[in-house]
Amino acid sequence: MDLTKIKNPKFLKKLTDDEMEVLAQELRYFLIEQLAVTGGHLGSNLGVVELTLALHREFNSPKDKLLFDVGHQSYVHKILTGRAIQFQTLRQYQGLSGFPKHNESEHDVWETGHSSTSLSGAMGMAIARDIKEDNNFIVPIIGDGALTGGMAFEALNHIGHEKTDMIVILNDNEMSIANNVGALHQALGRMRSAAKYNKAKDDFEWLLKRIPAVGNILVNATGRLKDSMKYFMVPGMLFEEFGFTYFGPVDGHDIQALRKHIGFAKKTSGPVIIHVITKKGKGYLPAETDPKDRWHGVGPYKIESGEKITSASKGTAWSKVVSDALVTEAEVNEKLVVITPAMILGSKLERFAKRFPDRLFDVGIAEQHATTMAAGLATQGMKPFLAIYSTFLQRAYDQMLHDICRVNLNVIIGIDRAGLVGADGETHHGIYDIAYLRSMPNLVIMMPVDEHECRQMIATAMAYNDGPVAIRYPRGNSDAVTKPVSVMPLPIGKWEVVNKGEDLVILAFGPMLALAQEVVKQLTDYGLTIEVVNARFIKPLDHVYLSEVAKRNIPLLTIEEAVLAGGFGSAILEWAELNDCAHIKIKRMGIPDRFIEHGDVNLLLQEVGLTTNKIVEKIKQWLPIHMKRVR
Ligand SMILES: Cc1ncc(C[n+]2csc(CCOP(=O)(O)OP(=O)(O)O)c2C)c(N)n1
Ligand SMILES: CC(=O)[C@@H](O)[C@H](O)COP(=O)(O)O
Ligand SMILES: [Mg+2]
């Protein structure tokens, strides 16, 4: 069928079983074809084709609420709710989001992007339903990875306690982004094998019963054996202990089996969990057989071979610069321990893990635990490096403040994906960390301009034992290639003047420094001399430099790829106010007070005014001198 003709999922109710199977294949092929061009979260979505069909067949969205945890696996849901035609704009500027969005469809009842929120959101919806005496179904769909998030356990605990009517779908494909980790993962494994065990047991009993005379005695004996193993082998005991009725494991690619178990669940009062077993990447061999990540998040690829189509890019991935530096440091410092909350691949830590398997800890989707565990390590004289995306560090605000900074512990926080991230959009941009960290006493915050300075900063952090240090670095590659420098620690709080000038000082750091230097080129034609400073220490500020520039009474412009509210520019305003420098003209440029959607980073920078031309225009409007070309 032409999937672009689908307006809503109601048509599913009339399909025969065979027609549903055909549709599943058409959906699968659509995903493979479309994402070969746009990229996206292919593996997760291939794994939920039949599940999403069964859900939209058995429930009446949007009256019945389908909540997709993380939301990266909601493409099939989007196709069935009338958005197939938009997939050519997937995750592109002003195009279809890769996550559920209220403004895209009434069927997107819960917005996600960050993991492990669906059960809590579902509980809120269920309580509201019961207060309003509505009678719809609330159905969160959560993956085995997302279930390792602490919020999910907080919600399970509460839902089970309240015995709230809810149908939780556990989509268990044994994978997070990489292989899933944790004791829960092992427990789920026992539940999966229990299914095989129970089926084998039933077959065995069938066989025993055919042995004349002794058969029934043996059946009773083996029955007692099964009961004694009940706690370990009967699937779902863990969830039953939480007050849930457990159904499963169910083959997540068998639409009829799914529909049957959803039917049981709809007739069961109280909280129910259906444990669905799926295969990440199902139906596309390169994805199904990838030993590393089942094609979690991919760029464009060749369908026939699965060969990734990568655009030539200069420089080295920032994550790799950092992880290689950590390997070098770990060779000579046995106290270095690295922690990742489920992002071992994104943070490019496989090499470190292989070289130092006992000093890398993947804690699952557990940013709060990861951060406070780092604090625990530091109290014992270890040198923990927490590798964490800026956006996911948001989950560990209090752990940063209460457990690390307040106690002034020697923890290094490697803040990855700092800045606009592009295709993942507003839920993933790393643009808030300066604002939410800058108010934390004792914390040093720095950002390198290129891979050489990054190595210097890692060395600086390793040598620094006066408290916590955060190094923030962008998504993508470090393409600014300057001269190699000795990897000596930097003096804390010391900025670097990269261009002397008398008419204006621009303070910038990270990728914005190159932008500042482009601005200088454009303004030279106006006879202006502009001082450009690599303000690589966001905290502490370089007070020596600022005092000197205050005496020169030169206007200051700050540029940051981070929110203005509470950002680096705010720190300069505070400095001026606190140091009786109100006479200095100060202007800040950065990200305004609104959410920035998904799209190519360069287009997003255009949108927020962080481009050479827009900065030049802003300076022309602001500086008191009449801007006239002198050459
Ligand atoms: C708070 C948070 N931490 C980390 C991530 C990154 N992340 C996105 S999907 C994913 C794995 C999710 O695994 P699972 O829930 O099993 O879904 P699957 O991809 O296997 O279908 C992770 C770690 C996130 N989105 N949110
Ligand atoms: C859905 C999710 O949160 C992750 O898959 C995220 O998209 C990874 O981001 P990177 O691609 O920057 O590693
Ligand atoms: Mg999974």
Side-chain angles (χ1 to χ4, degrees):
M1 77 182 285
D2 179 353
L3 301 178
T4 62
K5 297 281 188 283
I6 298 172
K7 294 290 173 255
N8 62 59
K10 289 196 181 78
F11 76 98
L12 291 173
K13 313 278 186 197
K14 305 187 200 82
L15 295 190
T16 65
D17 293 353
D18 289 346
E19 286 168 334
M20 292 281 277
E21 294 299 340
V22 169
L23 178 56
Q25 295 323 315
E26 289 170 337
L27 285 163
R28 197 159 262 123
Y29 191 68
F30 179 88
L31 288 171
I32 295 166
E33 261 204 330
Q34 286 289 338
L35 272 63
V37 177
T38 62
H41 287 97
L42 179 68
S44 310
N45 283 282
L46 286 174
V48 295
V49 169
E50 290 82 7
L51 174 59
T52 311
L53 277 171
L55 289 168
H56 274 295
R57 170 76 184 245
E58 293 302 317
F59 293 107
N60 298 306
S61 169
K63 177 177 186 299
D64 295 333
K65 310 298 177 193
L66 301 181
L67 297 83
F68 291 89
D69 205 293
V70 182
H72 63 308
Q73 82 297 51
S74 61
Y75 296 1
V76 179
H77 160 78
K78 291 198 173 199
I79 295 165
L80 296 175
T81 51
R83 288 169 273 180
I85 192 74
Q86 299 171 52
F87 265 76
Q88 47 209 325
T89 69
L90 181 64
R91 300 173 4 124
Q92 293 154 40
Y93 188 62
Q94 295 175 343
L96 191 68
S97 168
F99 300 101
K101 286 278 181 260
H102 294 318
N103 63 15
E104 281 185 14
S105 167
E106 62 175 348
H107 295 276
D108 290 8
V109 295
W110 183 247
E111 294 207 357
T112 35
H114 280 192
S115 175
S116 318
T117 67
S118 65
L119 300 186
S120 302
M123 185 58 167
M125 293 180 189
I127 291 171
R129 172 201 59 200
D130 296 345
I131 291 170
K132 294 189 288 182
E133 295 181 350
D134 285 344
N135 63 354
N136 55 317
F137 291 99
I138 310 287
V139 187
I141 300 103
I142 185 165
D144 55 308
L147 196 59
T148 62
M151 273 185 78
F153 278 90
E154 292 168 14
L156 283 175
N157 187 43
H158 183 217
I159 296 161
H161 172 74
E162 298 285 350
K163 298 181 178 44
T164 306
D165 289 343
M166 182 186 298
I167 299 173
V168 175
I169 306 292
L170 170 56
N171 171 30
D172 181 4
N173 54 23
E174 301 181 66
M175 294 290 289
S176 185
I177 291 181
N179 291 319
N180 203 355
V181 295
L184 172 69
H185 173 60
Q186 286 151 7
L188 291 176
R190 283 195 296 277
M191 293 180 206
R192 286 189 293 270
S193 53
K196 297 188 191 86
Y197 163 80
N198 286 333
K199 185 172 181 327
K201 184 71 203 58
D202 296 343
D203 296 350
F204 182 54
E205 280 181 352
W206 180 82
L207 196 66
L208 282 180
K209 280 175 185 160
R210 273 145 191 72
I211 299 173
V214 296
N216 283 329
I217 299 165
L218 285 174
V219 165
N220 293 335
T222 47
R224 281 195 300 279
L225 173 66
K226 179 178 169 183
D227 289 347
S228 66
M229 294 170 73
K230 178 177 170 110
Y231 195 82
F232 299 101
M233 294 306 280
V234 162
M237 282 311 288
L238 174 74
F239 297 107
E240 301 269 347
E241 291 298 304
F242 266 96
F244 282 71
T245 302
Y246 173 90
F247 288 113
V250 183
D251 178 352
H253 302 296
D254 178 340
I255 297 173
Q256 304 323 317
L258 287 165
R259 290 182 58 196
K260 185 176 79 175
H261 283 85
I262 292 170
F264 295 153
K266 285 165 78 172
K267 298 188 189 89
T268 305
S269 65
V272 177
I273 186 163
I274 304 178
H275 182 188
V276 174
I277 310 297
T278 61
K279 179 98 177 150
K280 201 160 182 174
K282 176 82 175 176
Y284 183 55
L285 205 57
E288 266 199 64
T289 55
D290 186 317
K292 201 164 75 165
D293 73 351
R294 300 287 190 284
W295 281 43
H296 178 84
V298 293
Y301 53 89
K302 290 179 182 166
I303 294 175
E304 306 69 35
S305 62
E307 183 192 344
K308 306 287 176 62
I309 303 168
T310 50
S311 51
S313 54
K314 291 189 300 178
T316 308
W318 281 100
S319 305
K320 186 170 185 326
V321 173
V322 171
S323 55
D324 285 349
L326 292 175
V327 169
T328 305
E329 293 288 351
E331 297 285 3
V332 296
N333 185 337
E334 61 188 16
K335 295 195 181 301
L336 176 59
V337 172
V338 175
I339 304 165
T340 174
M343 302 307 284
I344 190 167
L345 296 178
S347 298
K348 298 203 184 302
L349 288 167
E350 308 100 296
R351 180 172 164 240
F352 189 98
K354 194 165 178 199
R355 178 76 188 78
F356 303 104
D358 301 334
R359 290 160 62 186
L360 179 107
F361 294 89
D362 178 353
V363 298
I365 307 179
E367 288 83 5
Q368 296 177 337
H369 166 61
T371 306
T372 299
M373 186 176 100
L377 280 156
T379 62
Q380 303 307 305
M382 301 306 286
K383 192 74 169 179
F385 184 99
L386 171 61
I388 188 165
Y389 289 20
S390 166
T391 189
F392 302 144
L393 182 61
Q394 290 163 197
R395 278 283 170 88
Y397 177 90
D398 191 49
Q399 290 71 20
M400 279 295 297
L401 180 63
H402 179 273
D403 300 326
I404 292 178
C405 294
R406 183 182 58 82
V407 191
N408 202 27
L409 293 171
N410 295 328
V411 175
I412 307 172
I413 303 96
I415 305 179
D416 199 339
R417 275 42 172 200
L420 294 167
V421 296
D424 279 333
E426 65 196 34
T427 53
H428 284 65
H429 291 314
I431 55 179
Y432 305 98
D433 59 272
I434 294 174
Y436 68 74
L437 292 175
R438 203 171 58 77
S439 60
M440 297 186 186
N442 301 327
L443 181 63
V444 172
I445 309 170
M446 46 187 166
M447 184 169 202
V449 67
D450 63 15
E451 59 186 280
H452 303 304
E453 194 168 67
C454 188
R455 290 192 192 93
Q456 282 183 303
M457 289 188 171
I458 299 272
T460 304
M462 289 299 295
Y464 184 76
N465 289 306
D466 293 331
V469 180
I471 306 170
R472 64 192 306 270
Y473 42 98
R475 184 175 198 275
N477 287 11
S478 149
D479 54 8
V481 184
T482 57
K483 63 193 181 314
V485 291
S486 70
V487 187
M488 291 296 291
L490 297 166
I492 297 293
K494 184 89 181 77
W495 293 344
E496 179 192 22
V497 178
V498 295
N499 204 60
K500 289 297 286 177
E502 290 307 321
D503 298 313
L504 170 68
V505 171
I506 300 180
L507 302 175
F509 47 85
M512 294 294 104
L513 193 68
L515 190 62
Q517 288 166 306
E518 283 303 311
V519 168
V520 170
K521 284 182 197 155
Q522 286 217 12
L523 286 174
T524 307
D525 294 354
Y526 292 87
L528 290 177
T529 63
I530 297 175
E531 185 149 308
V532 177
V533 178
N534 175 8
R536 56 197 174 181
F537 285 90
I538 294 153
K539 186 177 184 184
L541 300 176
D542 187 336
H543 291 276
V544 171
Y545 174 80
L546 285 169
S547 305
E548 185 267 329
V549 94
K551 293 181 192 123
R552 295 156 60 192
N553 194 11
I554 302 177
L556 290 178
L557 171 68
T558 64
I559 306 173
E560 57 197 299
E561 192 182 318
V563 293
L564 283 169
F568 171 74
S570 300
I572 299 299
L573 290 176
E574 290 156 20
W575 163 80
E577 190 264 332
L578 292 171
N579 292 277
D580 302 325
C581 292
H583 60 285
I584 295 180
K585 291 177 75 66
I586 296 172
K587 180 165 286 297
R588 302 173 300 145
M589 294 191 75
I591 293 174
D593 183 21
R594 59 181 172 83
F595 289 102
I596 308 302
E597 290 198 352
H598 52 279
D600 177 85
V601 170
N602 291 321
L603 294 176
L604 297 179
L605 288 168
Q606 280 275 0
E607 181 186 306
V608 298
L610 292 176
T611 61
T612 309
N613 294 341
K614 299 232 174 154
I615 294 170
V616 167
E617 280 316 303
K618 181 71 76 176
I619 292 171
K620 283 182 183 175
Q621 293 160 11
W622 174 51
L623 280 186
I625 53 174
H626 297 297
M627 303 288 286
K628 56 187 180 311
R629 281 189 180 281
V630 294
R631 51 177 198 178

